[in-house]
Amino acid sequence: MVKKLFKWGVYAALLSLMGMAPAHRPITHPFYVSVTEINYNGTEKTLEISCKLFTDDFEKALAKASGQPIDIYRPVDKELLDKQIWAYFRKHFSARVDGRVLPAEYVGHELEEQSTFVYFQLN
């Protein structure tokens, strides 16, 4: 009996961690993941950066930062969306070399299924 209770307790804990909580609780996922890739372009002497984020989480972060609802899939104003994305990254991402913050330039963003890729470069 104790073994069965322990087994079901572990199972419920794993489901909770994966955001698959029992039906009476709201489903959330406690982990927010992004992947950042940085490549050095020796010809232009720049760092080329791409960040992959889950679009739904990124929309929530942008909405919180801007105080407005955000729809990355169907933006009302694409130029405004680019400004909001870049403002968010300027606030939350920087790189230093020898104590100096590198100037950054926004390149753009694109969607791929449930992910948003944001591209910029550092000079």
Side-chain angles (χ1 to χ4, degrees), residues 52-109:
K52 180 181 180 181
L53 308 107
F54 285 106
T55 301
D56 61 337
D57 294 333
F58 191 38
E59 285 175 331
K60 289 175 189 170
L62 289 173
K64 184 177 178 182
S66 70
Q68 307 174 333
I70 303 289
D71 186 343
I72 294 175
Y73 292 107
R74 292 172 301 282
V76 174
D77 182 341
K78 186 175 178 342
E79 191 174 309
L80 175 61
L81 176 61
D82 280 328
K83 287 179 183 178
Q84 292 167 321
I85 289 171
W86 188 225
Y88 183 86
F89 269 87
R90 277 195 321 266
K91 182 176 181 181
H92 296 285
F93 188 99
S94 67
R96 295 178 188 268
V97 173
D98 297 329
R100 182 178 67 91
V101 175
L102 297 177
E105 178 186 339
Y106 180 70
V107 175
H109 78 278

Side-chain angles (χ1 to χ4, degrees), residues 22-48:
H24 66 278
R25 292 181 49 205
I27 295 177
T28 60
H29 58 91
F31 301 105
Y32 300 95
V33 179
S34 65
V35 176
T36 300
E37 184 177 325
I38 302 172
N39 292 303
Y40 179 69
N41 181 330
T43 306
E44 296 185 25
K45 296 190 180 344
T46 60
L47 292 175
E48 299 171 340

